[in-house]
Amino acid sequence: MTRPVTSRPAGFVTRHELWDDRQETAAHDARRIIEELGIELIRFSFPDQHGVLRGKTITVSSFENVLGSGVTFPSTLLLKDTSGRTIYPVFSPGAGMNRPDLAGAADMVMVADLTTFRALPWAERTAWVLCDLYFPDGRVVPFSSRAVLAQQMDALDERGFGSTVGIEIEFHVFAIAKGALGFDDVTQPGAAPAVLPASHGYQLLSEERIDRVDEVVQLVHGTLRDLGIPVRSLEVEFGPSQLELTLEPLSAKDAADHMVLLRAAVRQVCRRHGYHATFMSRPRLPNLFPSGWHLHQSLVDRSTGCNRFVGQNGDMLSPVGRQALGGLLRHAAAASLFTTPTINGYKRYRPNSLAPDRIAWGVDNKAAMVRLCGVSGDPGTHLENRSGEPAANPYLYIASQIAAMAAGLEDDVDPGPPSLAPYAEDRPLLPRSLAAALDALEGDEIFAARMGTDVVSYMIDLKRFELDRFATSVTDWEHNEYMDLF
């Protein structure tokens, strides 16, 4: 194998000054890993608008050239809904969205963020690196999920704050009932796989239940450990075939990067061992319980690293924490498109289910949309948003929370008193559907102001197209309801 060189790469990256000292150091580490482990293939990936990883696999002999030039890909990858269908007329002027830089399926450029470089424990002699997206003239692609989060973090930094995020995610793992694909399976979107339960369920945190899926637990834990993802706990949830995983607190960027790789890793390693892992909230399978993604979050002082949510003198939450909480509540309906971006995810919002159904906060109350965790003087004080679904784009989910909290700080929003009965009190309801979430987002100017009008309009277009496809599909409910009656 040719030994990688150690100089800074020339070309697109240097011309547009896209590397800093951190990238230089990370490049040195990446070259060392390639040499020591005999890496032959590197997956250059980016999280698309749905939080799904896409990209190209580069051979090690091309690695140095690609570090300098970046990797091109068609702009249409950013213009597709969840089925993979391009929703805009890309071959018309402006690509149908007044964006000449996206017309004609023109190329964009992936540039490796080498701080994310790591070897993949499940793929032989293969490494992985996340990428940022640029136009050929060096401009940042505004529709890049990573760019949207970076923008919110920069705005927070200007106010002297950083963001700490903890991830608590539920998901299902099933045994695959049929291995080989048939031609009936290769549809658009792809047909759901035939699966069987991997565990019985209904015994929350049962040691015997988790032992029955120990193969899955060992697979998931070993893979994430080898990736350097800081797993805090793995446990069985209440539903059949349902697991929960939590991570140690991280910065907002690291949390999103870890989450997007975590989902890909769990799905890929489970598939290789005869299991199907899904982060869909509520699969249409008998007796299952929906999964959620709870986002634990606090703001820290950028200069000292101290948690700015810690209350004093008997107050459970600081003034900064109360304002941030007020922002999360005020903008919760509009943020639902980012916390719960699928049609399926809204079928989780039901009373008395440990999933929220209205916009309220509570003190250590798991029925509330936002749960305050901590007591006066507790350095671990934080807010847990329980409204998210596991399929959410990590970057947009976290970015929406930062934007809402920042708005709460600027507008000095009072969250009001905590709810004592979150499923019974007269509080505003969360959107009951993706369509209602889209209407709420269109009616709240804060996200357009902070994320950009183009970005918000683009996300609304993507989801409207998805809704239109759903509206014209005949569901099992309709078929069973009307076929025999009329």
Side-chain angles (χ1 to χ4, degrees):
M1 182 182 72
T2 302
R3 181 183 296 273
V5 298
T6 58
S7 60
R8 176 178 290 215
F12 182 86
V13 170
T14 298
R15 187 163 62 252
H16 296 293
E17 300 181 340
L18 303 181
W19 269 29
D20 55 21
D21 290 342
R22 292 177 67 245
Q23 294 297 329
E24 288 275 11
T25 301
H28 174 78
D29 293 340
R31 290 165 177 138
R32 175 181 53 78
I33 293 170
I34 289 172
E35 183 75 13
E36 291 178 356
L37 300 183
I39 298 295
E40 295 181 0
L41 300 170
I42 300 100
R43 298 181 184 179
F44 278 60
S45 303
F46 71 91
D48 74 0
Q49 55 276 23
H50 310 293
V52 174
L53 287 175
R54 302 189 186 275
K56 296 182 179 181
T57 299
I58 305 301
T59 62
V60 69
S61 60
S62 301
F63 181 66
E64 287 298 330
N65 288 335
V66 165
L67 283 186
S69 66
V71 180
T72 60
F73 69 96
S75 61
T76 50
L77 286 183
L78 292 178
L79 306 178
K80 295 180 182 294
D81 76 348
T82 47
S83 74
R85 303 184 189 199
T86 302
I87 75 162
Y88 293 102
V90 295
F91 297 109
S92 63
M97 54 188 304
N98 197 28
R99 295 291 310 219
D101 44 19
L102 297 177
D107 277 345
M108 292 191 285
V109 184
M110 290 189 287
V111 172
D113 175 359
L114 289 168
T115 65
T116 67
F117 186 94
R118 64 198 73 196
L120 293 184
W122 68 90
E124 189 176 3
R125 293 186 297 277
T126 301
W128 173 89
V129 66
L130 266 178
C131 298
D132 292 307
L133 307 184
Y134 297 89
F135 290 111
D137 61 6
R139 289 176 297 129
V140 173
V141 175
F143 307 117
S144 163
S145 300
R146 278 188 114 220
V148 172
L149 177 56
Q151 178 189 39
Q152 298 312 305
M153 292 173 62
D154 287 345
L156 200 60
D157 183 72
E158 290 177 2
R159 296 182 60 90
F161 293 106
S163 175
T164 298
V165 173
I167 287 174
E168 177 185 348
I169 186 116
E170 298 163 350
F171 58 100
H172 290 91
V173 179
F174 304 102
I176 296 174
K178 183 185 72 171
L181 284 174
F183 285 103
D184 289 341
D185 299 317
V186 288
T187 57
Q188 189 179 18
V195 296
L196 296 170
S199 68
H200 187 281
Y202 307 124
Q203 296 293 336
L204 180 65
L205 302 186
S206 162
E207 183 175 319
E208 183 164 327
R209 289 286 195 261
I210 200 168
D211 190 68
R212 293 182 186 180
V213 290
D214 185 61
E215 181 184 20
V216 174
V217 171
Q218 297 289 348
L219 278 174
V220 169
H221 172 255
T223 300
L224 299 183
R225 176 201 61 213
D226 292 347
L227 285 169
I229 294 178
V231 176
R232 180 177 176 272
S233 67
L234 267 165
E235 55 206 58
V236 287
E237 259 295 334
F238 189 71
S241 292
Q242 191 177 39
L243 298 172
E244 180 179 279
L245 185 153
T246 67
L247 301 186
E248 298 289 352
L250 298 160
S251 71
K253 173 185 176 294
D254 287 344
D257 286 347
H258 281 69
M259 184 61 191
V260 77
L261 179 56
L262 181 155
R263 287 196 307 214
V266 169
R267 286 175 56 82
Q268 291 177 38
V269 75
C270 282
R271 170 68 71 166
R272 286 171 177 248
H273 288 82
Y275 295 98
H276 178 77
T278 181
F279 292 83
M280 176 184 181
S281 180
R282 195 174 181 186
R284 188 180 177 276
L285 295 167
N287 305 317
L288 294 190
F289 283 69
S291 295
W293 173 6
H294 305 157
L295 199 70
H296 298 255
Q297 51 200 325
S298 60
L299 298 180
V300 299
D301 188 291
R302 177 58 79 187
S303 60
T304 67
C306 293
N307 184 354
R308 293 295 305 276
F309 281 6
V310 179
Q312 303 293 338
N313 303 318
D315 293 329
M316 292 178 292
L317 199 59
S318 70
V320 166
R322 286 187 61 84
Q323 292 169 340
L325 172 58
L328 290 175
L329 297 175
R330 174 176 289 184
H331 304 291
S336 293
L337 180 70
F338 305 109
T339 68
T340 309
T342 74
I343 293 167
N344 178 262
Y346 290 87
K347 296 172 182 178
R348 174 176 161 262
Y349 293 164
R350 296 178 298 169
N352 302 308
S353 66
L354 289 176
D357 72 338
R358 59 201 70 194
I359 300 170
W361 75 281
V363 179
D364 198 14
N365 192 323
K366 293 184 173 73
M369 189 199 88
V370 179
R371 170 187 171 220
L372 170 59
C373 304
V375 296
S376 182
D378 182 355
T381 298
H382 65 273
L383 301 173
E384 175 193 6
N385 189 336
R386 299 174 60 83
S387 70
E389 66 165 322
N393 181 319
Y395 303 91
L396 300 183
Y397 186 175
I398 296 171
S400 74
Q401 301 299 283
I402 292 175
M405 288 191 291
L409 297 180
E410 288 190 8
D411 297 336
D412 190 16
V413 180
D414 183 354
S419 174
L420 301 180
Y423 290 129
E425 290 182 3
D426 184 17
R427 302 286 179 113
L429 293 175
L430 281 163
R432 284 295 189 264
S433 66
L434 181 60
L438 287 168
D439 291 341
L441 181 58
E442 288 182 319
D444 189 334
E445 297 178 355
I446 196 67
F447 293 105
R450 292 179 179 274
M451 293 182 173
T453 302
D454 286 351
V455 171
V456 170
S457 297
Y458 155 80
M459 291 302 302
I460 289 172
D461 287 346
L462 286 170
K463 290 301 172 179
R464 291 276 186 216
F465 189 86
E466 194 174 322
L467 276 171
D468 288 345
R469 285 196 302 108
F470 179 71
T472 57
S473 299
V474 178
T475 64
D476 288 344
W477 186 94
E478 296 166 86
H479 188 81
N480 293 333
E481 187 81 3
Y482 305 129
M483 181 71 173
D484 187 52
L485 177 64
F486 296 114

